[in-house]
Amino acid sequence: MKLFIIILLLIFTILSAIDLHLPSSAVHNATSGLVLIYPSPSAASSNPACYFPGIETSATYLFSMEDLPFYNFHLQYKYRDLGFHIGSSFLAHPLYKESSSMFTINYAYHEFTVGSSIRYLYNMVEEYHEDSALLVDIGLLWQNGNLLTGLSVRNTTHSHFLEEQLPIVYLWESCFSITNKSRISVGLEKETNFDFAFKIAGRYDIHKVLTILSSYQYEPDRIGVGAIFNLSKINICYSIRTHQYLSLNHYISINYVF
Amino acid sequence: MLTIVLFAEDSEEKIFSFEDETYHSTELSDLLQSIKKNPINVNMADEKELALIPWLSEKDIQKIILYRNSYKISRLEDLTEIGIDAVTVNELKDYITFRLAIDLKLKQTSRLEYHQPKQHLPSTLKYFQKTIFKFNNFKLGFISQKDEGEKDPIDFYSYFLEYSGKDLLKKVLIGKYRLALGQGILFAPKLGMSKSGAATSTPVKKFNPIRPYTSSYEIWELEGAAANIQLSSLSIIPFFSNTFLSANLDTLDCITSFNESGLHFDDDKKNNVQEMIYGLATKFSPTDHSFGINFAKINFDHHFNNPSRKNEYSAISTDFIINRSGFPVFGEIAYAQKKTAGVMGCKFGENNLRHLLLIRHYQKDFPTWHGNPFSSQSRFDNEVGIYYGITIIPMDRTKINCYFDLWSFPETRYFEKMPTVGSEQFIQIEKKFVANSIRISVQHKDKEKYISLDEAKIRDFERTTFRADWWQNIDNFRFKTRCELVTEYLANDAIHESGILVYEEIKWKIDKLTLIGQVAVYHSDVLHYMYEHNVDGIMQNSILKGDGAYSYFVMKYNFLQSMELQFKVSDHWNTKDQMRMYFQVVSSF
């Protein structure tokens, strides 16, 4: 029954507007989409100004349903003050397929970083429709002592998909390092035709090999929790996130830091 | 301010935050007050107890122990004679006693209450009395109460004999008692706080397993015997109870519900169901950790009219606390009547940023009568939820507490035949200055929310509370001002209601006299809940609605060293016949 409802939602509603808010990695699943609290290459998919070099791959069964696997791959590379990122996500179901591929470039100047992404969105529903869209995202980062602030606007081009305009998403986030082991991040997300979503996330490094992430999002209400195992340059993250009506979203990511 | 904190960390200096300072000074002050009320007997106290007196050095303690092995200490001069300096002895005089061998104490509390709204009842007065007699390691107590309208002068009573030891037999209780185990799924006091401004503390249950039942609440007590046997790190707690409950019965004499009000106007419905419980709890506590297994067999002499509830069943639970540098991982899982219930949580972080995560999962119709673990409301069956609390101390004397709680009732609850969900968000910012402090709180609650699949039926009830509190200390006066705004919104019917409450409270304490007065004015379509001062032993939560003013006055006078008179009167200015009066005498000998 649950699967049927989700498939219906996926078919009849534009993905990014149906409140699924699919995170691009286990870290972002744990932090309710706040990306500055724990640097990972997939952060550029949310804010193109994020430059955290490495390779990251993630996988999940959406809402614990084996018929709905969702994969992510992200690569970031830094050359002097320039950062480059390519990323891809893929949701695979026999009836429904959606993919998003993106290329990002960002530039750091003193305490500021600016970035922009080009995103190609493809969606296909078997025997129903097939369409694609090109989107442009922009982002800004500002480092001021222990405070890191980011602002991003996704879909600045007001692109259309199936003759409907895709939503524009604004995300503001500030991450504050309280001590060298503890960080807290707060953010606001506004999507066209939706209320502001308030987010708060915490990070605590219990040990050099173990980090705990936790978060809360208001409207819609979600709580996310994750653990990251830091093994030298390899980080393995497992996280869960609640949904009011559906099952937990379990997520796993592997990240190699350059 | 932040720079100072970070610098201190870098240089590995240990600095106390304002919170720590407050805690330590308050703790010492509380300890001294406590010792002053119950002075330490220098002829009987062991080394640890003597060390509680801050002015006594280790050498002084050794001198006292050596001397009293041969002689009785009977006056202050004896202490100077054994080598304790005169200044220290002078400081000690209020905190020590010389009476030998017999430690005898009596505490008597008598309270009368008159509620004008209930003056039509045949017996208007409500009364409560508590007598506790302490003799060395023994405590003997008797509590009785009668509500307004009840004919029986001892409508409710409690009694107990308690023995407290230090070795194998840590505690033995005979009479009425309350049991609290693990995180409280099977047994816990019902009035424990679940959520509060202390976002990372109150959801964690910390219990003393057995205690005499001294509450005036006429339900949930156990009657029989319980003991706490201590074998090194292992506690074994056997318990037995045979008590009577007041229940509503259907025509087939099956239990439909229990009377939780404590009011017994109809003698036929009083204590009409027998409940028998016996069981065993074990707790293994090596160092700071603890692991427990609890078992109980429960038997009611009547069947329940709900066929999914049996009148005879076993309940078992296991609980644990694993402490890591004061940040515990804790939980309890219970099984009864083929239903499971579980709560699990962990605290993590540093002093400046603490987190608490807690999940619970209680199956529908899990027997909840004696339990009270963490839950969104008073009943905890049929609930799945997750709680996330954060405490942030961003700078000195500033504290931010927030919590977020999400829950769902996966099976049918009150409205229609639909599962419901709910959520609560809370943030509180507190700033303390030298003589005053300010606190701002915002709470938002979505209660009993459901959306039917076709979206034809939507219910979404929201309640938002904004509250600002300000305290000011001037000499012996303490002023407290509160402004509270509440809005309620029922989305499906587009009903929007709101209210405002403002009050001023003044407390004046000088020597043996304490006076507290409060005036509250309100203009509201919704309910305002307000805790108010009362005579000792009563937690009163006033509910205010409409347009009006409410005030109360409390006086406490310690007219003899061992006796305190307490009086309270409260009234609604705009409504007739709403006056309440309390008169209480507390004496300790």
Side-chain angles (χ1 to χ4, degrees), chain A residues 1 146 176 178-179 181-182 184 202 204 212 214 216 218 221 244, chain B residues 2 6 9 348-350 388 392 404 406 421 423 425 444 453:
Chain A
M1 182 63 179
N146 293 312
F176 182 59
I178 289 187
T179 68
K181 285 182 177 178
S182 285
I184 190 157
Y204 176 55
I212 290 184
S214 48
Y216 171 74
Y218 176 64
D221 292 316
Q244 274 178 305
Chain B
L2 173 74
L6 294 175
E9 282 220 341
F348 55 93
E350 299 169 278
Y388 177 35
I392 311 164
F404 314 102
L406 311 180
V421 299
S423 67
Q425 300 81 29
H444 177 79
L453 286 177

PDB file of all heavy atoms in Angstrom, chain A residues 1 146 176 178-179 181-182 184 202 204 212 214 216 218 221 244, chain B residues 2 6 9 348-350 388 392 404 406 421 423 425 444 453:
ATOM      1  N   MET A   1       0.833  -1.206   0.000  1.00  0.00           N
ATOM      2  CA  MET A   1       0.000   0.000   0.000  1.00  0.00           C
ATOM      3  C   MET A   1       0.868   1.257   0.000  1.00  0.00           C
ATOM      4  O   MET A   1       0.658   2.194  -0.751  1.00  0.00           O
ATOM      5  CB  MET A   1      -0.901  -0.029   1.243  1.00  0.00           C
ATOM      6  CG  MET A   1      -1.849   1.142   1.341  1.00  0.00           C
ATOM      7  SD  MET A   1      -3.024   1.161  -0.026  1.00  0.00           S
ATOM      8  CE  MET A   1      -3.982   2.593   0.380  1.00  0.00           C
ATOM      9  N   ASN A 146      34.816  31.405  13.638  1.00  0.00           N
ATOM     10  CA  ASN A 146      34.206  30.089  13.862  1.00  0.00           C
ATOM     11  C   ASN A 146      32.861  29.934  13.168  1.00  0.00           C
ATOM     12  O   ASN A 146      32.172  28.937  13.375  1.00  0.00           O
ATOM     13  CB  ASN A 146      33.991  29.880  15.364  1.00  0.00           C
ATOM     14  CG  ASN A 146      35.303  29.776  16.091  1.00  0.00           C
ATOM     15  OD1 ASN A 146      36.181  29.035  15.676  1.00  0.00           O
ATOM     16  ND2 ASN A 146      35.444  30.559  17.147  1.00  0.00           N
ATOM     17  N   PHE A 176      28.287  26.998  13.253  1.00  0.00           N
ATOM     18  CA  PHE A 176      29.097  27.614  14.300  1.00  0.00           C
ATOM     19  C   PHE A 176      29.897  26.530  15.027  1.00  0.00           C
ATOM     20  O   PHE A 176      29.327  25.551  15.512  1.00  0.00           O
ATOM     21  CB  PHE A 176      28.151  28.331  15.267  1.00  0.00           C
ATOM     22  CG  PHE A 176      28.845  29.055  16.374  1.00  0.00           C
ATOM     23  CD1 PHE A 176      29.766  30.053  16.106  1.00  0.00           C
ATOM     24  CD2 PHE A 176      28.576  28.746  17.701  1.00  0.00           C
ATOM     25  CE1 PHE A 176      30.404  30.717  17.124  1.00  0.00           C
ATOM     26  CE2 PHE A 176      29.206  29.404  18.733  1.00  0.00           C
ATOM     27  CZ  PHE A 176      30.124  30.401  18.448  1.00  0.00           C
ATOM     28  N   ILE A 178      31.426  25.449  18.112  1.00  0.00           N
ATOM     29  CA  ILE A 178      31.390  25.832  19.530  1.00  0.00           C
ATOM     30  C   ILE A 178      32.700  25.452  20.215  1.00  0.00           C
ATOM     31  O   ILE A 178      33.270  26.234  20.965  1.00  0.00           O
ATOM     32  CB  ILE A 178      30.165  25.189  20.201  1.00  0.00           C
ATOM     33  CG1 ILE A 178      28.925  25.897  19.672  1.00  0.00           C
ATOM     34  CG2 ILE A 178      30.239  25.299  21.714  1.00  0.00           C
ATOM     35  CD1 ILE A 178      27.638  25.536  20.311  1.00  0.00           C
ATOM     36  N   THR A 179      33.163  24.246  19.975  1.00  0.00           N
ATOM     37  CA  THR A 179      34.508  23.848  20.396  1.00  0.00           C
ATOM     38  C   THR A 179      35.097  23.075  19.220  1.00  0.00           C
ATOM     39  O   THR A 179      34.446  22.928  18.189  1.00  0.00           O
ATOM     40  CB  THR A 179      34.474  22.931  21.645  1.00  0.00           C
ATOM     41  OG1 THR A 179      33.887  21.685  21.267  1.00  0.00           O
ATOM     42  CG2 THR A 179      33.671  23.537  22.782  1.00  0.00           C
ATOM     43  N   LYS A 181      35.336  20.064  19.043  1.00  0.00           N
ATOM     44  CA  LYS A 181      34.633  18.785  18.897  1.00  0.00           C
ATOM     45  C   LYS A 181      33.158  18.960  18.576  1.00  0.00           C
ATOM     46  O   LYS A 181      32.489  18.005  18.208  1.00  0.00           O
ATOM     47  CB  LYS A 181      34.734  17.986  20.207  1.00  0.00           C
ATOM     48  CG  LYS A 181      36.069  17.355  20.461  1.00  0.00           C
ATOM     49  CD  LYS A 181      35.976  16.570  21.748  1.00  0.00           C
ATOM     50  CE  LYS A 181      37.260  15.828  22.047  1.00  0.00           C
ATOM     51  NZ  LYS A 181      37.162  15.118  23.310  1.00  0.00           N
ATOM     52  N   SER A 182      32.638  20.148  18.807  1.00  0.00           N
ATOM     53  CA  SER A 182      31.193  20.339  18.682  1.00  0.00           C
ATOM     54  C   SER A 182      30.864  21.456  17.710  1.00  0.00           C
ATOM     55  O   SER A 182      31.460  22.531  17.772  1.00  0.00           O
ATOM     56  CB  SER A 182      30.587  20.709  20.039  1.00  0.00           C
ATOM     57  OG  SER A 182      30.511  19.602  20.861  1.00  0.00           O
ATOM     58  N   ILE A 184      27.380  23.337  15.628  1.00  0.00           N
ATOM     59  CA  ILE A 184      25.926  23.401  15.480  1.00  0.00           C
ATOM     60  C   ILE A 184      25.609  24.234  14.246  1.00  0.00           C
ATOM     61  O   ILE A 184      26.313  25.194  13.945  1.00  0.00           O
ATOM     62  CB  ILE A 184      25.254  23.972  16.754  1.00  0.00           C
ATOM     63  CG1 ILE A 184      23.751  23.801  16.658  1.00  0.00           C
ATOM     64  CG2 ILE A 184      25.609  25.413  16.997  1.00  0.00           C
ATOM     65  CD1 ILE A 184      23.082  23.806  18.001  1.00  0.00           C
ATOM     66  N   GLY A 202      23.346  19.162  14.789  1.00  0.00           N
ATOM     67  CA  GLY A 202      24.471  19.167  15.712  1.00  0.00           C
ATOM     68  C   GLY A 202      25.478  18.105  15.322  1.00  0.00           C
ATOM     69  O   GLY A 202      25.124  17.083  14.728  1.00  0.00           O
ATOM     70  N   TYR A 204      28.998  16.062  16.939  1.00  0.00           N
ATOM     71  CA  TYR A 204      29.889  15.860  18.073  1.00  0.00           C
ATOM     72  C   TYR A 204      30.888  14.770  17.717  1.00  0.00           C
ATOM     73  O   TYR A 204      30.503  13.670  17.327  1.00  0.00           O
ATOM     74  CB  TYR A 204      29.081  15.464  19.317  1.00  0.00           C
ATOM     75  CG  TYR A 204      29.944  15.148  20.511  1.00  0.00           C
ATOM     76  CD1 TYR A 204      30.872  16.073  20.979  1.00  0.00           C
ATOM     77  CD2 TYR A 204      29.827  13.927  21.181  1.00  0.00           C
ATOM     78  CE1 TYR A 204      31.663  15.779  22.082  1.00  0.00           C
ATOM     79  CE2 TYR A 204      30.621  13.640  22.282  1.00  0.00           C
ATOM     80  CZ  TYR A 204      31.536  14.571  22.717  1.00  0.00           C
ATOM     81  OH  TYR A 204      32.319  14.288  23.804  1.00  0.00           O
ATOM     82  N   ILE A 212      29.158  11.801  15.663  1.00  0.00           N
ATOM     83  CA  ILE A 212      27.703  11.637  15.690  1.00  0.00           C
ATOM     84  C   ILE A 212      27.054  12.909  15.125  1.00  0.00           C
ATOM     85  O   ILE A 212      27.470  14.029  15.450  1.00  0.00           O
ATOM     86  CB  ILE A 212      27.194  11.386  17.124  1.00  0.00           C
ATOM     87  CG1 ILE A 212      27.629  10.003  17.579  1.00  0.00           C
ATOM     88  CG2 ILE A 212      25.679  11.480  17.201  1.00  0.00           C
ATOM     89  CD1 ILE A 212      27.113   9.613  18.921  1.00  0.00           C
ATOM     90  N   SER A 214      23.210  14.775  14.319  1.00  0.00           N
ATOM     91  CA  SER A 214      21.775  14.707  14.620  1.00  0.00           C
ATOM     92  C   SER A 214      21.147  15.995  14.109  1.00  0.00           C
ATOM     93  O   SER A 214      21.823  17.027  14.017  1.00  0.00           O
ATOM     94  CB  SER A 214      21.556  14.564  16.125  1.00  0.00           C
ATOM     95  OG  SER A 214      22.341  15.507  16.810  1.00  0.00           O
ATOM     96  N   TYR A 216      17.156  18.254  13.228  1.00  0.00           N
ATOM     97  CA  TYR A 216      15.696  18.378  13.239  1.00  0.00           C
ATOM     98  C   TYR A 216      15.300  19.351  12.140  1.00  0.00           C
ATOM     99  O   TYR A 216      15.984  20.363  11.912  1.00  0.00           O
ATOM    100  CB  TYR A 216      15.209  18.894  14.593  1.00  0.00           C
ATOM    101  CG  TYR A 216      13.747  19.243  14.576  1.00  0.00           C
ATOM    102  CD1 TYR A 216      12.785  18.247  14.569  1.00  0.00           C
ATOM    103  CD2 TYR A 216      13.323  20.573  14.507  1.00  0.00           C
ATOM    104  CE1 TYR A 216      11.438  18.556  14.516  1.00  0.00           C
ATOM    105  CE2 TYR A 216      11.983  20.883  14.460  1.00  0.00           C
ATOM    106  CZ  TYR A 216      11.044  19.869  14.462  1.00  0.00           C
ATOM    107  OH  TYR A 216       9.710  20.188  14.399  1.00  0.00           O
ATOM    108  N   TYR A 218      11.823  21.460  10.732  1.00  0.00           N
ATOM    109  CA  TYR A 218      10.425  21.823  10.985  1.00  0.00           C
ATOM    110  C   TYR A 218       9.744  22.184   9.675  1.00  0.00           C
ATOM    111  O   TYR A 218      10.270  22.962   8.893  1.00  0.00           O
ATOM    112  CB  TYR A 218      10.378  23.010  11.952  1.00  0.00           C
ATOM    113  CG  TYR A 218       8.976  23.507  12.194  1.00  0.00           C
ATOM    114  CD1 TYR A 218       8.039  22.683  12.811  1.00  0.00           C
ATOM    115  CD2 TYR A 218       8.585  24.771  11.787  1.00  0.00           C
ATOM    116  CE1 TYR A 218       6.744  23.122  13.021  1.00  0.00           C
ATOM    117  CE2 TYR A 218       7.288  25.213  12.000  1.00  0.00           C
ATOM    118  CZ  TYR A 218       6.371  24.382  12.618  1.00  0.00           C
ATOM    119  OH  TYR A 218       5.090  24.807  12.823  1.00  0.00           O
ATOM    120  N   ASP A 221       8.087  17.995   9.599  1.00  0.00           N
ATOM    121  CA  ASP A 221       8.862  17.565  10.770  1.00  0.00           C
ATOM    122  C   ASP A 221       9.674  16.314  10.467  1.00  0.00           C
ATOM    123  O   ASP A 221       9.121  15.297  10.055  1.00  0.00           O
ATOM    124  CB  ASP A 221       7.914  17.251  11.933  1.00  0.00           C
ATOM    125  CG  ASP A 221       7.256  18.504  12.450  1.00  0.00           C
ATOM    126  OD1 ASP A 221       7.968  19.501  12.602  1.00  0.00           O
ATOM    127  OD2 ASP A 221       6.034  18.484  12.685  1.00  0.00           O
ATOM    128  N   GLN A 244       6.857  11.401   8.784  1.00  0.00           N
ATOM    129  CA  GLN A 244       5.662  11.292   9.637  1.00  0.00           C
ATOM    130  C   GLN A 244       4.765  10.126   9.251  1.00  0.00           C
ATOM    131  O   GLN A 244       4.152   9.512  10.100  1.00  0.00           O
ATOM    132  CB  GLN A 244       4.858  12.588   9.583  1.00  0.00           C
ATOM    133  CG  GLN A 244       5.362  13.594  10.599  1.00  0.00           C
ATOM    134  CD  GLN A 244       4.607  14.890  10.505  1.00  0.00           C
ATOM    135  OE1 GLN A 244       4.549  15.478   9.441  1.00  0.00           O
ATOM    136  NE2 GLN A 244       4.052  15.338  11.609  1.00  0.00           N
TER     137      GLN A 244
ATOM    138  N   LEU B   2      32.997  34.485  23.509  1.00  0.00           N
ATOM    139  CA  LEU B   2      33.296  33.182  22.935  1.00  0.00           C
ATOM    140  C   LEU B   2      34.797  32.959  22.879  1.00  0.00           C
ATOM    141  O   LEU B   2      35.295  31.892  23.172  1.00  0.00           O
ATOM    142  CB  LEU B   2      32.699  33.102  21.521  1.00  0.00           C
ATOM    143  CG  LEU B   2      33.086  31.865  20.770  1.00  0.00           C
ATOM    144  CD1 LEU B   2      32.327  30.693  21.346  1.00  0.00           C
ATOM    145  CD2 LEU B   2      32.778  32.020  19.305  1.00  0.00           C
ATOM    146  N   LEU B   6      37.122  29.697  24.075  1.00  0.00           N
ATOM    147  CA  LEU B   6      38.004  28.930  23.192  1.00  0.00           C
ATOM    148  C   LEU B   6      39.442  29.004  23.682  1.00  0.00           C
ATOM    149  O   LEU B   6      40.175  28.030  23.675  1.00  0.00           O
ATOM    150  CB  LEU B   6      37.903  29.461  21.760  1.00  0.00           C
ATOM    151  CG  LEU B   6      36.538  29.247  21.109  1.00  0.00           C
ATOM    152  CD1 LEU B   6      36.504  29.912  19.751  1.00  0.00           C
ATOM    153  CD2 LEU B   6      36.233  27.773  20.973  1.00  0.00           C
ATOM    154  N   GLU B   9      40.023  26.702  26.471  1.00  0.00           N
ATOM    155  CA  GLU B   9      40.134  25.304  26.040  1.00  0.00           C
ATOM    156  C   GLU B   9      41.536  25.024  25.511  1.00  0.00           C
ATOM    157  O   GLU B   9      42.141  24.011  25.806  1.00  0.00           O
ATOM    158  CB  GLU B   9      39.118  25.040  24.935  1.00  0.00           C
ATOM    159  CG  GLU B   9      37.733  24.858  25.477  1.00  0.00           C
ATOM    160  CD  GLU B   9      37.019  23.773  24.753  1.00  0.00           C
ATOM    161  OE1 GLU B   9      37.452  23.447  23.646  1.00  0.00           O
ATOM    162  OE2 GLU B   9      36.045  23.241  25.316  1.00  0.00           O
ATOM    163  N   PHE B 348      24.929  12.935  24.424  1.00  0.00           N
ATOM    164  CA  PHE B 348      26.304  13.103  23.955  1.00  0.00           C
ATOM    165  C   PHE B 348      26.612  14.588  23.790  1.00  0.00           C
ATOM    166  O   PHE B 348      25.705  15.418  23.739  1.00  0.00           O
ATOM    167  CB  PHE B 348      26.542  12.352  22.636  1.00  0.00           C
ATOM    168  CG  PHE B 348      25.593  12.706  21.529  1.00  0.00           C
ATOM    169  CD1 PHE B 348      25.908  13.688  20.612  1.00  0.00           C
ATOM    170  CD2 PHE B 348      24.373  12.055  21.408  1.00  0.00           C
ATOM    171  CE1 PHE B 348      25.028  14.022  19.584  1.00  0.00           C
ATOM    172  CE2 PHE B 348      23.490  12.383  20.395  1.00  0.00           C
ATOM    173  CZ  PHE B 348      23.811  13.365  19.480  1.00  0.00           C
ATOM    174  N   GLY B 349      27.895  14.894  23.692  1.00  0.00           N
ATOM    175  CA  GLY B 349      28.315  16.273  23.512  1.00  0.00           C
ATOM    176  C   GLY B 349      29.215  16.725  24.642  1.00  0.00           C
ATOM    177  O   GLY B 349      29.705  15.922  25.428  1.00  0.00           O
ATOM    178  N   GLU B 350      29.441  18.030  24.683  1.00  0.00           N
ATOM    179  CA  GLU B 350      30.301  18.620  25.703  1.00  0.00           C
ATOM    180  C   GLU B 350      29.457  19.545  26.564  1.00  0.00           C
ATOM    181  O   GLU B 350      28.269  19.725  26.310  1.00  0.00           O
ATOM    182  CB  GLU B 350      31.425  19.400  25.036  1.00  0.00           C
ATOM    183  CG  GLU B 350      32.304  18.521  24.165  1.00  0.00           C
ATOM    184  CD  GLU B 350      33.234  19.335  23.325  1.00  0.00           C
ATOM    185  OE1 GLU B 350      32.828  19.831  22.277  1.00  0.00           O
ATOM    186  OE2 GLU B 350      34.389  19.481  23.734  1.00  0.00           O
ATOM    187  N   TYR B 388      14.388  14.802  20.377  1.00  0.00           N
ATOM    188  CA  TYR B 388      15.746  15.315  20.206  1.00  0.00           C
ATOM    189  C   TYR B 388      15.859  16.608  21.009  1.00  0.00           C
ATOM    190  O   TYR B 388      15.145  17.572  20.746  1.00  0.00           O
ATOM    191  CB  TYR B 388      16.011  15.569  18.713  1.00  0.00           C
ATOM    192  CG  TYR B 388      17.362  16.162  18.403  1.00  0.00           C
ATOM    193  CD1 TYR B 388      18.498  15.824  19.134  1.00  0.00           C
ATOM    194  CD2 TYR B 388      17.529  17.055  17.353  1.00  0.00           C
ATOM    195  CE1 TYR B 388      19.737  16.357  18.830  1.00  0.00           C
ATOM    196  CE2 TYR B 388      18.763  17.595  17.037  1.00  0.00           C
ATOM    197  CZ  TYR B 388      19.856  17.255  17.782  1.00  0.00           C
ATOM    198  OH  TYR B 388      21.088  17.790  17.493  1.00  0.00           O
ATOM    199  N   ILE B 392      22.543  24.418  24.609  1.00  0.00           N
ATOM    200  CA  ILE B 392      23.703  25.167  24.116  1.00  0.00           C
ATOM    201  C   ILE B 392      24.039  26.256  25.134  1.00  0.00           C
ATOM    202  O   ILE B 392      23.134  26.959  25.602  1.00  0.00           O
ATOM    203  CB  ILE B 392      23.402  25.851  22.762  1.00  0.00           C
ATOM    204  CG1 ILE B 392      22.783  24.863  21.777  1.00  0.00           C
ATOM    205  CG2 ILE B 392      24.657  26.471  22.162  1.00  0.00           C
ATOM    206  CD1 ILE B 392      22.109  25.535  20.593  1.00  0.00           C
ATOM    207  N   PHE B 404      12.716  18.859  20.249  1.00  0.00           N
ATOM    208  CA  PHE B 404      11.799  18.571  19.146  1.00  0.00           C
ATOM    209  C   PHE B 404      11.314  17.147  19.358  1.00  0.00           C
ATOM    210  O   PHE B 404      12.120  16.247  19.557  1.00  0.00           O
ATOM    211  CB  PHE B 404      12.516  18.690  17.802  1.00  0.00           C
ATOM    212  CG  PHE B 404      13.349  19.939  17.701  1.00  0.00           C
ATOM    213  CD1 PHE B 404      14.725  19.894  17.865  1.00  0.00           C
ATOM    214  CD2 PHE B 404      12.738  21.152  17.506  1.00  0.00           C
ATOM    215  CE1 PHE B 404      15.487  21.043  17.820  1.00  0.00           C
ATOM    216  CE2 PHE B 404      13.484  22.314  17.466  1.00  0.00           C
ATOM    217  CZ  PHE B 404      14.865  22.261  17.618  1.00  0.00           C
ATOM    218  N   LEU B 406       8.676  14.185  17.894  1.00  0.00           N
ATOM    219  CA  LEU B 406       7.763  13.719  16.840  1.00  0.00           C
ATOM    220  C   LEU B 406       7.190  12.390  17.297  1.00  0.00           C
ATOM    221  O   LEU B 406       7.923  11.553  17.818  1.00  0.00           O
ATOM    222  CB  LEU B 406       8.511  13.488  15.524  1.00  0.00           C
ATOM    223  CG  LEU B 406       9.435  14.580  15.014  1.00  0.00           C
ATOM    224  CD1 LEU B 406      10.062  14.141  13.693  1.00  0.00           C
ATOM    225  CD2 LEU B 406       8.677  15.867  14.819  1.00  0.00           C
ATOM    226  N   VAL B 421      -0.685  11.586  13.904  1.00  0.00           N
ATOM    227  CA  VAL B 421       0.704  11.954  14.190  1.00  0.00           C
ATOM    228  C   VAL B 421       0.684  13.258  14.970  1.00  0.00           C
ATOM    229  O   VAL B 421      -0.324  13.971  14.997  1.00  0.00           O
ATOM    230  CB  VAL B 421       1.539  12.139  12.896  1.00  0.00           C
ATOM    231  CG1 VAL B 421       1.595  10.855  12.108  1.00  0.00           C
ATOM    232  CG2 VAL B 421       0.989  13.264  12.047  1.00  0.00           C
ATOM    233  N   SER B 423       3.522  16.519  16.762  1.00  0.00           N
ATOM    234  CA  SER B 423       4.893  17.007  16.929  1.00  0.00           C
ATOM    235  C   SER B 423       4.893  18.183  17.892  1.00  0.00           C
ATOM    236  O   SER B 423       3.866  18.827  18.106  1.00  0.00           O
ATOM    237  CB  SER B 423       5.480  17.443  15.583  1.00  0.00           C
ATOM    238  OG  SER B 423       4.804  18.569  15.100  1.00  0.00           O
ATOM    239  N   GLN B 425       7.631  21.452  19.217  1.00  0.00           N
ATOM    240  CA  GLN B 425       8.908  22.154  19.121  1.00  0.00           C
ATOM    241  C   GLN B 425       8.987  23.142  20.282  1.00  0.00           C
ATOM    242  O   GLN B 425       7.977  23.770  20.630  1.00  0.00           O
ATOM    243  CB  GLN B 425       9.026  22.939  17.803  1.00  0.00           C
ATOM    244  CG  GLN B 425       8.929  22.111  16.539  1.00  0.00           C
ATOM    245  CD  GLN B 425       7.494  21.782  16.160  1.00  0.00           C
ATOM    246  OE1 GLN B 425       6.586  22.535  16.454  1.00  0.00           O
ATOM    247  NE2 GLN B 425       7.290  20.651  15.519  1.00  0.00           N
ATOM    248  N   HIS B 444       5.572  25.131  20.381  1.00  0.00           N
ATOM    249  CA  HIS B 444       4.564  24.912  19.333  1.00  0.00           C
ATOM    250  C   HIS B 444       4.216  23.432  19.319  1.00  0.00           C
ATOM    251  O   HIS B 444       5.103  22.586  19.334  1.00  0.00           O
ATOM    252  CB  HIS B 444       5.119  25.333  17.973  1.00  0.00           C
ATOM    253  CG  HIS B 444       4.170  25.062  16.842  1.00  0.00           C
ATOM    254  ND1 HIS B 444       3.108  25.878  16.567  1.00  0.00           N
ATOM    255  CD2 HIS B 444       4.109  24.051  15.948  1.00  0.00           C
ATOM    256  CE1 HIS B 444       2.432  25.382  15.550  1.00  0.00           C
ATOM    257  NE2 HIS B 444       3.020  24.277  15.150  1.00  0.00           N
ATOM    258  N   LEU B 453      -6.494   9.363   3.279  1.00  0.00           N
ATOM    259  CA  LEU B 453      -5.808   9.133   2.005  1.00  0.00           C
ATOM    260  C   LEU B 453      -6.371  10.003   0.886  1.00  0.00           C
ATOM    261  O   LEU B 453      -5.639  10.486   0.036  1.00  0.00           O
ATOM    262  CB  LEU B 453      -5.914   7.649   1.616  1.00  0.00           C
ATOM    263  CG  LEU B 453      -5.018   6.704   2.424  1.00  0.00           C
ATOM    264  CD1 LEU B 453      -5.267   5.280   2.008  1.00  0.00           C
ATOM    265  CD2 LEU B 453      -3.553   7.052   2.269  1.00  0.00           C
TER     266      LEU B 453
END
